[in-house]
Amino acid sequence: MASKLRQLQSKACQAKQFLSKHGEVYYKQMIEQNKEHIQEPPTVETCNRLAKQLFYTRLASLPVRREALRKEVEQVKQAWKNRKEMQVEEVGVAAMFGLECFAWFCAGEIVGRGFTFTGYKV
């Protein structure tokens, strides 16, 4: 365990040295490339105003998103009504989508339990 700690400290030291040498250059390059996204003056007040704008813009988009969800639900209902007329490809895509959703659910459960299958850490 002590050797792992020493390795981790060594890696952290190497990362710190790399950042101290190259971090400022990377920062300046990134700022220069994304200059059009920077609001002037770059103050706390500007950041607070932008945060409020983002929040209320997202809030205002909720009715549009709800309508899009309603349309998608209607499409699923129509597909379910016409399920006897569906082609094999459409059924396969729907089955794969359901399987993928189930797999993501299972993966999320495993991650939530701390990457264990039984819930008990050894």
Side-chain angles (χ1 to χ4, degrees):
M1 188 65 168
S3 66
K4 295 250 185 206
L5 183 60
R6 275 191 238 111
Q7 283 180 335
L8 184 62
Q9 286 175 336
S10 173
K11 293 282 185 187
C13 186
Q14 288 174 357
K16 185 184 97 172
Q17 289 172 351
F18 179 82
L19 283 175
S20 67
K21 285 182 182 177
H22 305 290
E24 189 174 346
V25 173
Y26 174 74
Y27 172 78
K28 287 180 180 179
Q29 181 185 21
M30 181 184 62
I31 292 296
E32 186 64 33
Q33 288 174 349
N34 296 295
K35 197 185 308 185
E36 72 271 5
H37 301 295
I38 297 173
Q39 291 290 314
E40 292 294 336
T43 61
V44 173
E45 291 81 17
T46 304
C47 291
N48 288 337
R49 182 178 52 82
L50 289 172
K52 281 186 179 181
Q53 285 179 343
L54 176 63
F55 174 75
Y56 287 109
T57 301
R58 293 259 172 109
L59 199 60
S61 72
L62 284 178
V64 175
R65 293 178 186 195
R66 188 182 66 224
E67 183 64 25
L69 176 64
R70 188 191 63 73
K71 286 180 182 178
E72 287 185 24
V73 168
E74 281 299 316
Q75 287 177 347
V76 170
K77 285 181 183 179
Q78 285 297 327
W80 185 253
K81 284 181 184 177
N82 300 330
R83 66 184 178 269
K84 298 205 189 263
E85 300 169 5
M86 289 178 77
Q87 296 177 356
V88 175
E89 293 87 7
E90 293 171 336
V91 173
V93 168
M96 290 300 290
F97 177 74
L99 187 64
E100 183 179 3
C101 288
F102 181 72
W104 278 111
F105 170 77
C106 290
E109 287 290 314
I110 292 169
V111 169
R113 285 193 301 259
F115 295 98
T116 62
F117 289 102
T118 61
Y120 298 106
K121 291 185 178 179
V122 179

